[in-house]
Structure formats: C-alpha cells, structure tokens
Amino acid sequence: MLLELAITLATTFMAPVQSKQSPPKTQVIYVKESKEPCTGVAPMECLQIKGVNDADWSNLYTNISGFKYTPGYRYKLRVKITRVKNPPADGSSLKYTLAKVLEKKKISNTGSAAITGKKWVLVKMDNEAISDGAIWMEFDGTQKRMHGKSGCNSMMGAYITSGSDLTFSKTAGTLMACPDRDVMRRETSFMKQIGDQTFQYAVAGQTLNLFQNGNIVLQFRLENKDGNTSGNNNWAAIGNKKWTLKMINEGVISNSGVWLQFDEDKKRFSGKGGCNNISGGYTAVKNKITFTQAMSTRMMCGDADVMRRESEFLKQLGGHTFTYTVNGETIDLYEGGKLVMQFTLESNGNDQQGNASNNNQWAFIGSKKWNVIKLNDATISNSGIWLEFDINQKRFHGKGGCNSISGGYNATGDEIKFTQGISTRMACADADVMRREAEFLKLISDNSFRYDVAEQTLNLYKDGKIVVMFGMQDKTL
C-alpha cells in the first residue's frame, strides 16, 4: 500500500510542472511499538510503519510532524503525505504530517515478565555497536534487583517498572582496575548511563531496547543463560589457582586476606578466612556449586573487623549452593539471583617478581623458629616439636619432641618437599611423646605439601587439609 502510494506520488511529481502544488495525500498507517536500527546517510533508529493492508513493517527514514512517539505503544494514525520542494541531498522527498491519532494501544510484551529471569547482553550504546558481550544484566522480578557485568567489574542495583518505564536506582559496582583502557572507558560511560535513570523499554523478539526522548540509547540481545559466556561449566578451569575475595553482600573489600583454592581431583577447597585457615569440600554441577560446612582453625585476631568479616564469610559460604559465572579473571557467586560474593584471580606477576616474592617469604621463614601446634587433627600445647630452616643449604633441623631431627627440603612456588628425616636414638620416658615424634617424622619424611604462611603460622596442607600447623617464635627465645 505504501509502495503504491509512493509510486503514485512519484508519477505525479514527475509530470510536467503545473502552476499549482499537488494536494497532499491522506493515508492511515500503523506505527510499531519499538524502533529498529537502520542506516540512512548514517546509522540511526527508524520508526516502523505499515499500511492497513500491509503484512510487513518498513523503515520510515524521517519523522512524522506533530506526532509524539512513546515506545511500548502501537499507534494507528491518519497522516498527510506531501512532497518536499527542493529536498536536501540527505533528506526525504516526502513529508509526513499527523492528521489524527486514531488509536494508541499498549503492547503487553513491555511488561516486566518479558525481561525478568533472562540474560541481556549489550550490543549497542549511543549508536556504538558492541560485540564482545562483556556488558550484560539480569533482572530478578521477585527482589526487584539487577545484577551483571559492566565490562570489567560486577554491578548490581535496584529497579522498578511502571507501564513501559524502567527506572534504575542504587547502582553500584566493584572497583577493579582493568588493563584495557577502552573497556574502562566504556564501563564508566555505561554505569553513568544507567545510574538513577528512567527509560522507556520494549521487547521485540530477542531484543530489549531502552529509550530516552524517543531514541534507543541502549540495546540488548537475549542470550542463553547456560551459554559459555554466562557460566563456565568446566570448574577445573579455576582449580589450582588462588582466588581472593573482593566483594561480599554488596560490600567491596580491599586487601581482604580472604581467599580460596580448589583441588579438582579431591573436590576440596582450602584457604584463609582473613585470620584463620579454612577448608572443606565442594561439588560443582554445570553452573552450580555447593560448599560443605567450612572448617577453620581457632586463632583470635587482634582486629575485630577482620574477625567479623571472617565470620560473615564462613556463614555465607558453608552449606550453601550458588550459581556461579567465570568471566576472565573473576568468579561471581549468586544466590537467589543476587550477586553475593566475587573473587578475583590473584596475579603472581612475572616469573622474576614471583621468584622475588618467594625468596622474601623464605627469608622470613628462615629467620624464625617454628613450633608444632597442630598435628593431623590434634591441637597440641607445648609439643616440644619444632623446626628451623637453613635457606642457603636447603636443610632443616629441630626437635621431634624427644630426639634431635634434621634433613633436607626443596621449595618451589607454594609446594615444599622434605627428604627422609634423620634423628638421634634417645628413648624418652613419656610414651605419648615418643608416639607423637614417630608420627611427625613419618608424616614429613619423603613427602610433599602445599604450604602457606599466615600472620603467625606456617601451614602444611595435604589434599586441601591442614596436616601440620607451626606457630612462629623468634629464634632468640
């Protein structure tokens, strides 16, 4: 119908010049509830129109004079179409003028149910096409919460819908610095764009459009939440790495001292709660992970805030099931559709920096005397078992409780391997001391452990569990 009208007008206008201007043509058209990307002289957003008897929508590369468009509503209009005298090269030769709004009907797919429970990936912002999928959001219709990624950092906030209006509030994000300046620039622009702002929104097929002043400013496409970009089903990809807590329950943390490592073979985790060592089990199926109740040492920390945060972390983690996503060097844990914890991969820097850090750590270990305060599952007071390390000779010496002991060791990264321990052959009157000495020597001899140094302890791990804990003591004491 529109095509026939255009041909008729073109035929009329190409006829020999008349003394009178041809009268405008009047036609009834429909205007769709959402604009679509189109390209005229430059990329733009076009109204979608069709005639009464037309099946398909077509782009309108100009405006309708006198018509105020609101996204989310379908219109039936009577318009006048006239020819423009001497149109500019980049302009339309036809002018559309509103005669009357015959019908304005709200389209149901703008309801909030059309956007909740789905993952929406940003594909366009202020006429800039975006293809990396780094910015996305999900809407929790029950909690009226939004969460997702702003490019480098995780984001979260509240939202409300009213009719075709979508209003964001209390938007916030984590504070990691990204190495890519373009990603950071775009992230800053996006967060500014949505912060405490109201948009008109409309869902068209698998596209979510956010409008302001009748123009699409943000456009998202629907993505399968089980896809690789929204969840990494291979939990092994994060094993044997150190993941540091950066956010818990919307609180961003710097230098938290809270971290986890995962042993994929044993399905065990270990780490630090901030003050104490922690460990436990886990199961991961697809994009879900369930933690067992975490076990921890019982040291008291001087900083009350550290103790409070450790308690909060253990309560949040133990016995809970989370949906998780892995995005680059970040793990996000969600519960009830809400981002509750975020971990980032702890970088060891280049090999030279890593070696320097390891050397500094062993210089510290070598300067102290280390007394056994826990052996397997038994906590020990005044055990009489201690070690000192000669970092130049790669030798250790000490006491097993009754006898003097010594041997060699080698430390690489976070692993230490002991040679067969040797000892004197004194017999002790206390059978428990002799038994514990034999247990200790058997445990460390020709054995490898993962180790770490906490504030006051040196810890040896086997299968994700602490098997020996040493308390620090100055050598002069």
Side-chain angles (χ1 to χ4, degrees):
M1 186 74 179
L2 289 174
L3 181 59
E4 293 174 358
L5 175 62
I7 293 173
T8 301
L9 288 172
T11 302
T12 302
F13 298 145
M14 291 174 65
V17 178
Q18 304 294 323
S19 58
K20 289 186 177 182
Q21 175 72 30
S22 298
K25 300 294 183 180
T26 301
Q27 184 175 351
V28 174
I29 65 171
Y30 287 98
V31 177
K32 196 177 180 181
E33 61 276 6
S34 61
K35 292 182 179 181
E36 295 293 339
C38 59
T39 302
V41 176
M44 56 189 289
E45 303 288 339
C46 288
L47 287 173
Q48 301 295 293
I49 66 171
K50 67 178 181 179
V52 174
N53 297 318
D54 293 337
D56 299 324
W57 297 96
S58 58
N59 295 326
L60 180 64
Y61 292 92
T62 186
N63 295 320
I64 301 174
S65 181
F67 171 59
K68 184 178 180 181
Y69 170 73
T70 302
Y73 290 86
R74 185 169 296 183
Y75 295 86
K76 184 178 181 181
L77 308 178
R78 181 180 291 118
V79 295
K80 293 180 180 180
I81 307 175
T82 56
R83 183 184 180 187
V84 177
K85 290 184 178 181
N86 302 316
D90 60 349
S92 173
S93 62
L94 300 179
K95 179 181 179 181
Y96 288 73
T97 303
L98 177 67
K100 186 177 182 180
V101 177
L102 302 175
E103 187 179 79
K104 179 181 179 182
K105 182 180 179 181
K106 183 179 179 181
I107 301 302
S108 60
N109 69 352
T110 59
S112 62
I115 64 172
T116 56
K118 302 179 175 77
K119 180 179 179 181
W120 298 100
V121 177
L122 185 70
V123 294
K124 192 172 187 181
M125 179 168 64
D126 291 334
N127 291 324
E128 177 187 353
I130 300 170
S131 60
D132 60 9
I135 301 177
W136 57 270
M137 62 174 62
E138 294 179 7
F139 298 90
D140 181 345
T142 303
Q143 301 293 327
K144 295 299 180 186
R145 300 284 302 173
M146 172 275 293
H147 72 265
K149 295 284 288 188
S150 53
C152 175
N153 286 277
S154 294
M155 63 177 178
M156 70 289 297
Y159 77 92
I160 58 172
T161 57
S162 177
S164 61
D165 288 346
L166 170 65
T167 301
F168 295 96
S169 64
K170 299 179 180 177
T171 53
T174 52
L175 301 174
M176 289 197 312
C178 302
D180 191 325
R181 290 186 178 181
D182 288 336
V183 172
M184 288 294 290
R185 173 192 58 78
R186 191 171 66 199
E187 178 174 83
T188 300
S189 177
F190 176 76
M191 292 299 287
K192 183 178 179 181
Q193 184 88 275
I194 67 170
D196 295 324
Q197 292 289 315
T198 296
F199 302 85
Q200 292 75 51
Y201 74 101
V203 177
Q206 295 192 339
T207 301
L208 168 62
N209 295 313
L210 302 188
F211 301 82
Q212 283 184 330
N213 300 320
N215 297 313
I216 295 178
V217 291
L218 297 169
Q219 186 175 73
F220 301 81
R221 63 172 169 77
L222 182 64
E223 182 170 294
N224 185 354
K225 291 176 68 174
D226 292 329
N228 289 334
T229 56
S230 64
N232 187 338
N233 293 335
N234 184 10
W235 186 259
I238 69 170
N240 301 318
K241 298 174 184 176
K242 186 175 180 179
W243 299 93
T244 301
L245 184 70
K246 292 297 183 184
M247 189 276 288
I248 182 168
N249 295 326
E250 299 189 4
V252 179
I253 307 169
S254 298
N255 302 318
S256 69
V258 182
W259 56 269
L260 295 178
Q261 286 184 323
F262 299 88
D263 185 332
E264 174 64 15
D265 294 330
K266 301 293 184 180
K267 293 293 187 288
R268 300 282 300 173
F269 69 87
S270 61
K272 293 283 289 186
C275 177
N276 285 279
N277 296 292
I278 61 174
S279 61
Y282 74 93
T283 56
V285 180
K286 292 186 177 181
N287 63 339
K288 301 283 188 181
I289 181 169
T290 301
F291 293 89
T292 65
Q293 192 66 42
M295 299 180 292
S296 78
T297 52
R298 292 290 184 266
M299 290 199 313
M300 293 296 294
C301 300
D303 191 325
D305 288 336
V306 171
M307 289 295 290
R308 175 192 55 76
R309 189 167 60 210
E310 178 173 275
S311 177
E312 179 187 5
F313 174 68
L314 290 174
K315 182 180 179 180
Q316 179 71 71
L317 186 78
H320 285 242
T321 297
F322 304 91
T323 300
Y324 74 90
T325 64
V326 181
N327 295 278
E329 297 185 347
T330 303
I331 300 174
D332 296 323
L333 301 185
Y334 299 90
E335 195 170 34
K338 179 182 177 182
L339 179 65
V340 292
M341 284 188 283
Q342 181 182 75
F343 298 82
T344 59
L345 181 64
E346 183 169 305
S347 174
N348 291 323
N350 57 37
D351 291 340
Q352 184 177 0
Q353 291 173 325
N355 290 336
S357 176
N358 199 45
N359 290 339
N360 290 337
Q361 183 179 64
W362 273 99
F364 171 75
I365 294 174
S367 70
K368 303 296 181 182
K369 177 180 178 180
W370 299 95
N371 298 293
V372 172
I373 57 177
K374 182 178 180 182
L375 182 60
N376 289 319
D377 293 323
T379 301
I380 310 168
S381 299
N382 302 316
S383 69
I385 306 174
W386 57 268
L387 294 181
E388 291 181 357
F389 296 88
D390 183 336
I391 63 174
N392 295 318
Q393 300 295 322
K394 298 291 190 238
R395 301 284 299 173
F396 69 86
H397 69 272
K399 295 283 285 187
C402 176
N403 286 278
S404 295
I405 59 176
S406 62
Y409 76 93
N410 185 52
T412 304
D414 63 351
E415 183 176 86
I416 182 171
K417 182 174 183 179
F418 293 90
T419 66
Q420 181 68 42
I422 57 177
S423 75
T424 54
R425 291 290 185 266
M426 286 184 4
C428 300
D430 190 327
D432 288 337
V433 172
M434 289 295 290
R435 175 193 55 77
R436 194 163 58 208
E437 178 176 274
E439 179 185 1
F440 176 70
L441 280 174
K442 182 180 178 180
L443 179 63
I444 67 169
S445 291
D446 285 327
N447 214 341
S448 297
F449 305 88
R450 185 177 68 79
Y451 77 92
D452 64 30
V453 179
E455 287 84 352
Q456 299 285 326
T457 63
L458 169 63
N459 310 296
L460 305 186
Y461 298 84
K462 201 72 173 176
D463 298 331
K465 177 182 177 182
I466 296 178
V467 291
V468 184
M469 180 185 292
F470 299 87
M472 185 182 73
Q473 181 180 338
D474 289 336
K475 283 186 176 182
T476 55
L477 296 181

